[in-house]
Amino acid sequence: MTDLSPATAVPGAAMPPRYAVIGNPVTHSRSPRIHAMFGEQTGIALQYGLLPAPLDGFEAAVRDFFAGGGRGLNVTVPFKQEAWSLAAPRLSDRARLAGAVNTLWVRDGVLHGCNTDGVGLVADLRRLGAELAGARVLMAGAGGAARGVLQPLAEAGCARIHIVNRTAERAHALAAEWLRATGAASPTVSAGGLPEAHKGGPWDIVINATASSLGDAAPDLPTGLYADGALAYDMMYGAQPTPFMRQAEAEGAAATADGLGMLVGQAAESFFIWHGVRPDAEPVLAALRRELAASAPR
């Protein structure tokens, strides 16, 4: 096993502990701003930066970061499943069931991994007033983002989760893997292609876990998906409503939301894992929302 213990510090140096978000691309990430605000709020000194990694160089970048004294990494696309493999067998139950990792840290020279995406999503859905107990949920997308939220949604009491994806086989594989890992009989979990999104509906909550909004497009979903009072939630976010949010509103969703609250919520859980202190996400979310609004075209 490769030693991941930090390198010996230079005598007299008093630099704050280093953290970062690793991904490709990563320049757009707001994680440094979020963690800086958490640090100010809690009185914890830290450095948090961006760590771009080549697509074929994730493991080397992670090992170099921790060998150089780094304390923790958040992991974003496209490395969450690779991070899961790298951190095995020191995975939290959440990460083990998700098959994806977005939070890494080293303890006693050994890499550990967790997935905080689902915690962030569930917290934000509740903040928005969504009733999760007994909810019928449609999930568009079957990648790392979707993997990370299935178990927290199940634990929140959702009655049915239907996973759809442009490639139906990926949706079926994700549903089968999750059911095999949990042995759960509830909630009812099913899968199919995007054209099968209506099966089992209408839906109380529709979640876009694809990256379609990054390409200024909505997923190619059929009509008639939304139940009365339904919420449409895009894991992506921006200064303006995302294409999925606009699509959902036109299709009759009662409310729409982007994923900025999920981003802050998952970051708060990572901060807690690393520092043992749980920050207040609300003022950070409000500050980010103001900054986004200020950056919007006039």
Side-chain angles (χ1 to χ4, degrees), residues 238-246 249 256 258:
Q240 304 287 353
T242 67
F244 168 74
M245 293 166 66
R246 297 194 299 270
E249 185 174 15
T256 63
D258 70 11

Side-chain angles (χ1 to χ4, degrees), residues 204-266:
D204 303 307
I205 302 171
V206 178
I207 300 170
N208 181 24
T210 76
S212 64
S213 292
L214 291 178
D216 197 30
D220 190 16
L221 293 169
T223 60
L225 298 178
Y226 294 94
D228 290 342
L231 168 67
Y233 191 97
D234 197 337
M235 289 188 181
M236 300 292 111
Y237 65 90
Q240 304 287 353
T242 67
F244 168 74
M245 293 166 66
R246 297 194 299 270
Q247 176 197 68
E249 185 174 15
E251 289 293 331
T256 63
D258 70 11
L260 189 62
M262 175 182 172
L263 176 69
V264 176
Q266 64 80 25

Side-chain angles (χ1 to χ4, degrees), residues 24-107:
N24 184 330
V26 77
T27 55
H28 66 285
S29 175
R30 293 183 179 268
S31 291
R33 175 74 174 129
I34 294 170
H35 282 270
M37 286 191 280
F38 285 160
E40 293 169 5
Q41 180 191 110
T42 59
I44 294 174
L46 57 90
Q47 299 178 78
Y48 191 109
L50 301 173
L51 183 57
L55 294 177
D56 61 352
F58 172 74
E59 180 174 348
V62 169
R63 294 189 181 281
D64 287 347
F65 177 81
F66 285 111
R71 298 286 188 86
L73 284 172
N74 285 127
V75 183
T76 188
V77 292
F79 298 125
K80 291 183 180 183
Q81 287 172 265
E82 195 170 346
W84 186 91
S85 298
L86 191 60
R90 298 294 192 272
L91 297 169
S92 68
D93 287 342
R94 289 195 301 240
R96 180 180 58 81
L97 292 173
V101 157
N102 78 333
T103 305
L104 293 168
W105 70 101
V106 168
R107 181 183 301 146

